[in-house]
Amino acid sequence: MNAIIALSLFGISSLFLGFLNNRKILLPATLIFILIALGLNFADWNHEYFWFNGMLKTDNLSINFSTVILVAALLVVAISRHFGDDEEHSHPAEYYAIMLFSVVGAIMMVTYENLIMLFVGLEILSVSMYVLTGSDKRNLRSNEAALKYFLMGSFATGILLFGVALVYGATGSFQIHGIGAAVNEAKAQMGGQYGPILMAGTILIMVGLLFKISAAPFHFWTPDVYDGAPTIFTAFMSTVVKTAGVAATYRLLSTSFPAMYGLWGNPLVYITGLTLIIGNITAVYQQSFKRMLAYSSISHAGYLLITVLAKRPETNSSILFYSLAYSIATISAFAVLIVVSEAKAKAGKADESFDALNGLAKNNPFLAFVLTVSMLSLAGIPLTAGFFGKFFIFTDAFANPSILFKGLLVIAILMSAVGIYYYFKPIIAAYMRNGDTEKIEISPIYKYTLILTTALTIILGIAPDLVKKLF
């Protein structure tokens, strides 16, 4: 709650900083704002507090999810180095302010205790992303992406809100624990037979949330939106937004509807399998590095859903560790893509395909190494954080006795093998192909950020308990 209040005030402050003639102050100021919010986030550690008459709840789980979100936001802001380069068309103060406001919405999505607050947080996050997606107003792809995201996101939000209304009509409560108590009572009285209104409401809420995390078959917006949005905001969407969506889904299903696992569990197993297959198989055929990362994001939504389905005491730490490992590696990959594509654009060869990475290691060994570590982590190769992220998820899945779940585990393992194929494409391009990429100069803060993300990926791959025990 402290972080929500602080970030709201900081977002307003960023707008006022925009009146200053010196735009260079915006980046360090925003980093300081997020660091302060990160510190305030731990003020309630080991305590449970209810805010606004029980509409928001702060506990260790919500603090941990908020920490992952804030760390991802901090790293994305640290690589947002060229907001203010175009004096005529860019509005860096507004961009930073909207990013801070979107983080407020993301934190509300992981601390909600009332479905109305889930809706409010989701809308704050979504509207911010609609604006940032279309922020490159002179780029037709950005305009198209923003329109698609807005239209499809609006429909998804309407579906979720209709589901909330139906669940309220069936249970008489917006509180997630109150809904859980009503569902348990209905199960005891009717022997597991639930009314059609409650079942329909549960399904509609799930559809709305699955849209936000790009789970198939609700993923169609993701490739075009990720590809059309400015790359820095694509990195933000694929980490902060996905973590918030998965956390909100997990919080709702594990608190309000665990007794209805038979209703939503089996369909979600099929959705998870479909997400893994579509995300990984389609990524194989992509020629654009950015678009490949979009389909990669879809596939990782499938891995995260496996943890949501697992229903084990270790689920909390597994989903948090995976979210952190995925976010760090994804931000590293997008950071390399940003500097390489900018260098190509300056040379009059704008390119976001794998060919843009050809020969990267020759003149830019540091960037090639960062790219390699991030790709290996996303692929789940040992000695990277991504390996243990998948290991913990597969361990949770293996403990489930369901035959259907065993089949899902087989699909997940096979799709991990497919992922290795397309994640090695950038590595092969960087080290084994000839290219004309010149020496790329990067700012100190950009370099330190990449050193940090790469070091964390390796450290968590060697000693995962350093973080997992904290979760």
Side-chain angles (χ1 to χ4, degrees), residues 87-330:
E87 296 285 343
E88 181 180 356
H89 296 283
S90 68
H91 306 280
E94 287 85 344
Y95 297 159
Y96 286 123
I98 292 173
M99 290 175 76
L100 291 175
F101 290 139
S102 68
V103 175
V104 171
I107 294 177
M108 290 176 67
M109 288 178 65
V110 304
T111 58
Y112 74 94
E113 185 69 14
N114 186 294
L115 291 181
I116 298 300
M117 295 308 289
L118 168 62
F119 169 71
V120 172
L122 183 63
E123 281 302 280
I124 293 173
L125 181 61
S126 297
V127 172
S128 299
M129 288 298 100
Y130 301 154
V131 175
L132 294 178
T133 299
S135 59
D136 190 1
K137 297 181 288 295
R138 295 170 296 169
N139 187 330
L140 292 179
R141 285 198 310 163
S142 179
N143 296 335
E144 178 187 354
L147 183 60
K148 285 182 178 180
Y149 196 13
F150 170 70
L151 291 176
M152 299 188 73
S154 299
F155 280 115
T157 301
I159 291 171
L160 181 140
L161 199 56
F162 187 28
V164 170
L166 292 178
V167 169
Y168 175 76
T171 63
S173 177
F174 285 119
Q175 299 293 116
I176 57 176
H177 281 89
I179 294 170
V183 170
N184 289 332
E185 183 179 351
K187 181 178 181 179
Q189 291 179 353
M190 297 185 292
Q193 298 297 317
Y194 305 101
I197 294 179
L198 178 59
M199 291 191 292
T202 304
I203 292 171
L204 290 176
I205 291 176
M206 284 183 58
V207 169
L209 291 174
L210 291 173
F211 172 89
K212 293 301 177 184
I213 64 175
S214 311
F218 316 107
H219 68 287
F220 291 104
W221 62 276
T222 307
D224 290 339
V225 172
Y226 280 29
D227 193 32
T231 306
I232 188 68
F233 300 133
T234 304
F236 192 86
M237 279 189 284
S238 61
T239 54
V240 173
V241 176
K242 190 173 294 293
T243 300
V246 171
T249 304
Y250 174 62
R251 190 177 184 91
L252 181 66
L253 295 179
S254 63
T255 304
S256 297
F257 304 116
M260 298 176 66
Y261 187 86
L263 171 69
W264 58 264
N266 289 341
L268 194 55
V269 168
Y270 290 109
I271 289 173
T272 302
L274 186 64
T275 302
L276 290 168
I277 293 171
I278 290 177
N280 284 286
I281 297 298
T282 316
V284 170
Y285 295 98
Q286 303 307 309
Q287 300 303 315
S288 166
F289 185 29
K290 190 175 180 181
R291 203 169 181 87
M292 182 274 280
L293 290 174
Y295 282 103
S296 163
S297 176
I298 295 171
S299 71
H300 286 283
Y303 294 117
L304 286 164
L305 286 176
I306 293 176
T307 315
V308 173
L309 284 161
K311 289 180 59 178
R312 297 189 71 221
E314 296 83 1
T315 294
N316 290 357
S317 60
S318 296
I319 196 170
L320 283 161
F321 186 91
Y322 194 96
S323 297
L324 179 62
Y326 163 74
S327 297
I328 292 172
T330 300

Side-chain angles (χ1 to χ4, degrees), residues 27-49:
L27 174 58
T30 306
L31 291 174
I32 292 172
F33 290 158
I34 297 177
L35 283 171
I36 293 173
L38 189 58
L40 292 173
N41 185 53
F42 290 99
D44 300 326
W45 184 257
N46 282 336
H47 295 87
E48 289 190 3
Y49 293 109

Side-chain angles (χ1 to χ4, degrees), residues 346-403:
K346 288 180 180 178
K349 304 175 183 178
D351 190 3
E352 291 179 341
S353 69
F354 294 113
D355 291 339
L357 302 171
N358 287 351
L360 181 65
K362 181 179 179 180
N363 293 318
N364 301 277
F366 172 71
L367 291 177
F369 178 73
V370 171
L371 177 67
T372 300
V373 173
S374 65
M375 291 295 103
L376 292 178
S377 182
L378 291 173
I381 302 301
L383 299 183
T384 63
F387 168 77
F388 279 105
K390 288 185 177 179
F391 175 79
F392 295 141
I393 283 179
F394 292 163
T395 301
D396 290 347
F398 189 76
N400 192 303
S402 168
I403 297 298

Side-chain angles (χ1 to χ4, degrees), residues 70-81:
L70 287 166
V71 168
L74 180 71
L75 295 173
V76 172
V77 170
I79 61 173
S80 60
R81 55 181 190 154

